[in-house]
Amino acid sequence: RMSMDGDYEGGVWIDGEFYYESKVERRAQTKEEATYGVFGNFEDYPGSRARKLQTASLAKPMNFVGGDLYKSADVADQYKGGVSGAAPAEGDTKKMEEEDNDEEEAMPKSALEIRRQARLEREKRRAVEEGAGRKRPPPKPRAVKADRDFGKWSKTSGGLGLKMMKAMGYKGGGLGKHSHGIVNPVKSKLRPQQMGLGYGGYKEKANMTQAELDDDGDKEEKPRAQKPKKRPGTNWRAGKKKPAKRVYKTVDELKEEAEKRNAPELVIDMRGPHVRVTSLDKVADLNDGTEQIQGDGWTPTGSANTLPELKWNMDALVEHTESDVHKTLQAITNRENTLKALHKQRKVIADRVEKQKKAAESLELIVTLVDTARDRAASINVQEEGPLARSGVYADTFEMLRDRHPQEFELYGLPRVAFALGAESLKKALRGWRPLAPSASKPNTLELTAMLKRWRVVLEGDEGTGAFYQELLEETVLSKLAIALSSCDVRQFAKPIALLEHLRPALPPPVYRHVLLEYVSPRLRSELSNWRPTRDPVPVHTWIHPWLDVLPGRALGDLFSQIRSKLADALRAWQPLDGSALVLIEPWKGVWDRRDMWDFLSRSILPKLRHLCARGVQVNPKREDPMPFRAVVRWHKVVPLHALASMLLTDFFPKWVKALVAWLRAPPTPDKFEQVLRWNKGWSSEIPDALKAHPVVEAQMRRGLDLMNAAIQNEPLDPILQSMAKAFPAQQEALRREAQKYGEGAAAAAPAANASAPKKARRPLLGGDLSVKEVLEKLASKMGLEFMPNLKKGMRDGCEVYTFGRCNIYIKGQTLFVHVPARGGGGAWKPFAIEDLLQMAK
């Protein structure tokens, strides 16, 4: 954390954030502070780096003071002579030298400090001189004659500058209080680049006339030689200097040039192993007695002293020649390599040209074939050759192109061309086509399927991943197919199913599934919504079962949920003695999932069958009615056997054994046992064989025979009855395990006592005669909650989804299902009580 105490007032840190009341106002930085920073010496304000801004008084007169030119390193020497070069007294010379030595020892680093010390020294000397009674004489005015042309320019400008200078005290002559300054204005001169006034010993002349300044300027300001303009394109690389041209001269030419310049001409001798530098005056010494200058060159003598030089020259020539030979060999090798590369590149280019030539020929052939196909299609008589003849011509052409030129077919985008021509021809052929109403002038389904299969091969190829074929179907077939299937009579299922079966080979699997889910399934759901199970004379399975092999499982699941919901509503007022319910439900065994079937039976069928078996079935030998019992046991084809066995074990066999024991213990009659035997056979014949083979039912019937045998032999019946009572819990447990084995719960195996036990009645919210939907409507209006159909959710298990407050619900029979969302998304539908729904909706 950085400290900000010096920048802000009332600052405080709160939870890592800095808050303040106001910023500290600071004076703006001066130019001197920005230039010198911490190296500046500002003593006017102790405790602060700032230097007071000194404002000039405008009331005081302005004076011109002559200045001197000096270097920063020679400041101390310039101020030894006082102001304007006045010589100090002789007595002060030693003192000033000591002071100068002290100043040199403690020389400040900054220019401001140098100026301040110089000012202090001048004041100190002035004070010393005034104390000694001496007054420094004023400087003598410079006796410089002004230029005649000086001030001519003021005649045209009105002399504004001269007027301003006279107002400031100027009386003519030199500048300054004592007229010791310059007389003529400063003339602009051409100086070396970036050189200031007085730099490097460059002396300025102040008392010069205008003519002298002009002459001096002419001497000093030499015009620069203009460089010849370069021709464009001669030097293509920026910054590259053109090499100097080598010029060869003879000794006589060099002597003549040296005599003209009156200066010796240097000569570099490189004839030997060592380089020697001399002049033409000593050219005779170069020969060393071994060479003589003759005319334009030299001729070696026959002296033996020349052999070392000759040997060195020969070695130099040999090395130079060897270097040339190596360079030549390298050049030859490079040219051979270049030639090989060019030959290789020529071969590659030739192959490429050959391929492009073949591609051009193929393209020309393709264009010719397509144009020929278009001409043939335009000349076809549809009335004679059929509506699909033009499409067949295009299909033949593109099939041949795909087989013979597969690469060019994909490279030149022929699938798109085929799609355009095929779609156009099929649109004309299918204009006015009704899939479910065949016509002689329109193609039938089989012909259309064969043509579509050909176009599928052309547009999809071997991989079957092309999108052009699906676009072709959407623009030609699917639109008409959607109209036909969405408005057809699904109860007359023969024509729609035949149409789909014929078109299935020509439709890709995703397209065929789309047709079933988007066109057929909504039409079936719409028909089921208008179906009334109690009034419709045609059972629903007669026109739904044919669609089982056509529709996918997803669509069938929605249809089955809607059918079960309709049947559950119709079975509310159903009586078990009515056999029509069995006719409606029995065809769905094996079609519905076993779990869905069990849920449906346990809610709509089994409670009424148990009630009928417990109270409707009367076992009385004197007055018997087998119809209720028959109404119960005939459901063995639909209801699981363990549920019927549990129902008979708890609600029928106790009454049957009680009646049998009472009859056997009654006073004997001549034909008593024969009547008991016929009675037992009668009840046994009412039980279906599949139910009679169940272990629990078989054990009960066997116990009845044991009781009759014991009565015939005059044996006591109580041991048998006791054994039956002991075996009852074990039989119930066996039925419960059997139900759990199939995942069908133990509700059917509950004992009669528990089934018939009175339950604590639940207090209805708004009355017991209202349906669940009516109860929710009244609760929503009473509590101000929203209760309306949810169009986005649609249907769920064949039931409409509603929005109740903040919840999504649907009502299936008398059960309320609520969507419980999960944390990570999604959720599940769960049964809810109305009280729990109200808490969740709030």
Side-chain angles (χ1 to χ4, degrees):
R1 180 184 299 177
M2 296 182 296
S3 177
M4 300 183 182
D5 298 335
D7 298 333
Y8 302 91
E9 294 180 356
V12 63
W13 291 88
I14 301 176
D15 295 334
E17 297 290 337
F18 185 78
Y19 299 90
Y20 61 91
E21 295 179 359
S22 61
K23 288 186 177 181
V24 176
E25 296 184 359
R26 297 185 180 275
R27 182 184 56 79
Q29 191 179 30
T30 63
K31 184 176 180 180
E32 294 177 352
E33 291 176 346
T35 303
Y36 300 104
V38 297
F39 298 101
N41 189 3
F42 310 112
E43 299 177 355
D44 296 337
Y45 284 85
S48 174
R49 288 173 21 191
R51 184 179 179 89
K52 179 186 289 185
L53 297 177
Q54 299 179 2
T55 57
S57 177
L58 301 179
K60 296 180 180 180
M62 182 178 295
N63 296 327
F64 288 92
V65 180
D68 297 329
L69 299 174
Y70 64 92
K71 298 181 183 178
S72 61
D74 300 332
V75 173
D77 295 333
Q78 293 182 14
Y79 288 101
K80 291 179 181 180
V83 181
S84 302
E90 296 179 359
D92 298 334
T93 302
K94 186 175 181 179
K95 182 177 180 180
M96 293 176 60
E97 291 178 355
E98 292 177 0
E99 292 176 356
D100 293 341
N101 293 334
D102 296 337
E103 291 176 0
E104 291 178 357
E105 291 177 0
M107 182 66 68
K109 296 182 180 180
S110 63
L112 295 177
E113 185 66 19
I114 293 174
R115 295 179 62 183
R116 189 181 65 83
Q117 291 183 3
R119 177 173 53 80
L120 295 176
E121 291 294 337
R122 289 197 300 270
E123 294 177 355
K124 187 184 298 183
R125 293 192 191 99
R126 189 179 295 111
V128 171
E129 293 173 357
E130 292 176 357
R134 294 181 300 171
K135 188 174 183 181
R136 184 174 57 183
K140 297 179 180 181
R142 296 184 179 182
V144 180
K145 189 176 181 180
D147 191 7
R148 296 177 180 179
D149 297 333
F150 175 69
K152 284 185 177 181
W153 53 273
S154 61
K155 296 179 180 180
T156 58
S157 62
L160 178 61
L162 184 60
K163 292 179 181 180
M164 293 177 62
M165 294 176 66
K166 288 182 178 180
M168 298 176 188
Y170 178 67
K171 299 179 180 179
L175 298 179
K177 184 177 181 181
H178 303 288
S179 300
H180 62 282
I182 63 175
V183 177
N184 297 313
V186 179
K187 181 170 180 60
S188 60
K189 299 179 181 181
L190 181 63
R191 300 177 180 275
Q193 187 177 5
Q194 297 181 354
M195 189 188 79
L197 296 175
Y199 176 79
Y202 191 85
K203 301 298 183 181
E204 299 289 344
K205 296 181 180 180
N207 53 354
M208 294 177 65
T209 62
Q210 186 67 30
E212 292 175 347
L213 289 173
D214 294 339
D215 295 339
D216 187 62
D218 295 339
K219 294 178 181 180
E220 296 178 359
E221 299 177 4
K222 295 182 180 180
R224 297 183 180 179
Q226 295 183 356
K227 296 182 179 180
K229 295 184 178 179
K230 294 183 179 180
R231 291 180 299 171
T234 57
N235 192 6
W236 62 273
R237 183 178 296 178
K240 183 177 180 181
K241 296 183 179 180
K242 191 174 182 180
K245 187 177 181 180
R246 182 177 295 179
V247 179
Y248 297 94
K249 297 182 180 180
T250 62
V251 176
D252 295 336
E253 292 176 351
L254 293 176
K255 286 183 176 181
E256 293 177 0
E257 292 180 359
E259 291 176 357
K260 292 179 181 180
R261 293 195 303 268
N262 294 325
E265 185 71 23
L266 296 179
V267 177
I268 300 175
D269 182 16
M270 301 180 66
R271 295 177 298 171
H274 303 288
V275 179
R276 293 179 292 179
V277 180
T278 184
S279 63
L280 289 175
D281 297 338
K282 300 178 182 180
V283 68
D285 297 337
L286 296 176
N287 298 324
D288 294 333
T290 62
E291 300 172 357
Q292 295 178 359
I293 302 299
Q294 296 179 0
D296 296 337
W298 60 275
T299 302
T301 63
S303 177
N305 295 331
T306 60
L307 292 179
E309 295 179 356
L310 180 61
K311 183 180 179 181
W312 186 88
N313 292 337
M314 291 299 295
D315 293 339
L317 291 175
V318 171
E319 291 178 359
H320 183 70
T321 306
E322 287 181 354
S323 177
D324 292 342
V325 170
H326 286 302
K327 290 181 180 179
T328 304
L329 291 177
Q330 185 66 31
I332 293 173
T333 305
N334 293 339
R335 290 182 180 179
E336 290 178 353
N337 295 335
T338 304
L339 187 60
K340 292 180 181 179
L342 290 176
H343 282 300
K344 187 176 181 180
Q345 187 175 4
R346 179 182 179 182
K347 185 179 179 180
V348 172
I349 293 175
D351 295 341
R352 189 179 302 171
V353 169
E354 187 66 23
K355 289 181 180 179
Q356 292 181 355
K357 184 178 179 181
K358 292 181 179 179
E361 293 176 355
S362 301
L363 181 59
E364 185 177 359
L365 177 61
I366 290 171
V367 173
T368 303
L369 291 175
V370 173
D371 292 340
T372 304
R374 296 183 66 177
D375 296 338
R376 286 178 54 195
S379 61
I380 287 177
N381 188 357
V382 179
Q383 301 296 333
E384 296 179 358
E385 300 184 24
L388 296 177
R390 295 178 180 175
S391 182
V393 171
Y394 290 131
D396 295 338
T397 302
F398 287 104
E399 281 179 351
M400 184 266 294
L401 290 175
R402 177 175 280 279
D403 295 338
R404 297 183 182 180
H405 308 278
Q407 296 181 355
E408 290 82 357
F409 192 86
E410 299 294 339
L411 179 62
Y412 299 135
L414 291 182
R416 183 177 296 276
V417 179
F419 160 72
L421 296 177
E424 181 183 3
S425 59
L426 285 177
K427 282 181 180 179
K428 294 180 180 179
L430 297 179
R431 188 174 298 166
W433 174 61
R434 295 182 179 181
L436 298 178
S439 175
S441 60
K442 300 300 176 182
N444 56 41
T445 308
L446 296 178
E447 294 176 352
L448 178 61
T449 302
M451 184 59 63
L452 290 177
K453 289 172 68 176
R454 296 180 61 186
W455 279 110
R456 184 176 182 181
V457 174
V458 171
L459 297 178
E460 287 189 351
D462 299 334
E463 299 180 356
T465 57
F468 291 111
Y469 183 63
Q470 294 187 11
E471 295 184 15
L472 178 70
L473 293 176
E474 292 176 359
E475 294 189 8
T476 56
V477 178
L478 293 185
S479 58
K480 298 182 180 298
L481 197 62
I483 296 174
L485 294 177
S486 299
S487 60
C488 70
D489 186 5
V490 291
R491 298 196 180 194
Q492 304 296 328
F493 51 85
K495 290 184 178 181
I497 292 178
L499 175 64
L500 293 174
E501 291 295 334
H502 290 159
L503 291 176
R504 186 170 185 176
L507 300 179
V511 177
Y512 184 72
R513 183 179 179 86
H514 174 77
V515 170
L516 296 178
L517 293 178
E518 300 298 331
Y519 306 152
V520 179
S521 181
R523 183 69 188 91
L524 289 173
R525 289 199 301 268
S526 176
E527 188 67 21
L528 284 176
S529 62
N530 298 327
W531 171 60
R532 298 293 182 267
T534 57
R535 300 179 183 179
D536 199 333
V538 180
V540 67
H541 66 274
T542 58
W543 51 275
I544 290 294
H545 279 193
W547 293 98
L548 298 180
D549 297 334
V550 179
L551 296 176
R554 173 185 170 185
L556 291 176
D558 297 339
L559 295 178
F560 294 161
S561 298
Q562 192 172 0
I563 292 172
R564 287 193 294 269
S565 177
K566 288 275 187 177
L567 290 176
D569 293 340
L571 290 175
R572 292 178 184 176
W574 169 71
Q575 297 298 326
L577 295 177
D578 185 5
S580 60
L582 182 61
V583 175
L584 292 175
I585 298 174
E586 185 177 0
W588 298 106
K589 185 180 181 181
V591 177
W592 294 350
D593 184 70
R594 179 164 183 150
R595 182 64 183 176
D596 294 334
M597 177 63 81
W598 171 254
D599 292 341
F600 174 77
L601 294 175
S602 62
R603 293 175 183 176
S604 303
I605 302 298
L606 292 182
K608 294 189 176 184
L609 291 180
R610 183 178 294 279
H611 183 271
L612 177 63
C613 186
R615 299 185 181 182
V617 177
Q618 300 294 331
V619 182
N620 189 355
K622 297 181 180 179
R623 188 182 52 187
E624 289 183 341
D625 185 8
M627 292 302 297
F629 185 77
R630 293 173 183 173
V632 173
V633 297
R634 65 188 174 191
W635 283 90
H636 72 281
K637 297 180 180 181
V638 179
V639 178
L641 294 180
H642 65 82
L644 288 178
S646 175
M647 196 180 302
L648 295 179
L649 178 65
T650 57
D651 298 328
F652 170 72
F653 281 113
K655 295 186 289 185
W656 181 78
V657 170
K658 182 178 179 181
L660 178 60
V661 170
W663 199 354
L664 292 176
R665 288 179 177 177
T669 56
D671 54 352
K672 173 182 176 181
F673 293 104
E674 294 179 359
Q675 294 178 358
V676 171
L677 185 60
R678 287 196 299 269
W679 177 78
N680 184 31
K681 288 181 178 181
W683 282 109
S684 178
S685 62
E686 295 292 338
I687 301 176
D689 295 339
L691 184 59
K692 190 185 299 183
H694 194 274
V696 174
V697 178
E698 183 182 3
Q700 295 297 321
M701 298 298 295
R702 189 173 56 253
R703 287 298 181 180
L705 293 176
D706 292 342
L707 289 174
M708 288 189 291
N709 291 332
I712 293 173
Q713 296 175 5
N714 292 325
E715 294 179 358
L717 304 179
D718 293 337
I720 299 176
L721 295 176
Q722 292 176 0
S723 64
M724 292 178 66
K726 291 180 181 180
F728 185 80
Q731 292 174 345
Q732 286 184 327
E733 181 63 24
L735 292 173
R736 186 183 64 81
R737 288 197 300 269
E738 184 178 358
Q740 290 180 350
K741 177 181 178 182
Y742 296 103
E744 294 169 348
N754 295 336
S756 59
K759 296 182 179 180
K760 185 177 180 180
R762 199 171 191 176
R763 181 175 175 269
L765 292 175
L766 296 174
D769 297 335
L770 300 177
S771 63
V772 177
K773 183 178 179 181
E774 294 173 348
V775 171
L776 293 178
E777 288 177 351
K778 292 190 176 183
L779 287 174
S781 61
K782 181 179 179 180
M783 302 177 64
L785 298 176
E786 181 183 12
F787 182 61
M788 59 182 299
N790 192 330
L791 300 179
K792 292 184 179 180
K793 298 293 183 179
M795 306 289 290
R796 179 72 183 179
D797 289 343
C799 304
E800 189 173 11
V801 178
Y802 296 91
T803 299
F804 186 83
R806 300 174 59 185
C807 305
N808 295 323
I809 66 171
Y810 73 90
I811 304 169
K812 189 173 183 180
Q814 296 295 327
T815 306
L816 177 65
F817 289 88
V818 181
H819 184 264
V820 181
R823 287 185 177 181
W829 294 89
K830 297 182 180 180
F832 260 60
I834 296 180
E835 293 85 349
D836 298 336
L837 173 63
L838 294 178
Q839 295 294 331
M840 187 176 180
K842 293 179 180 180

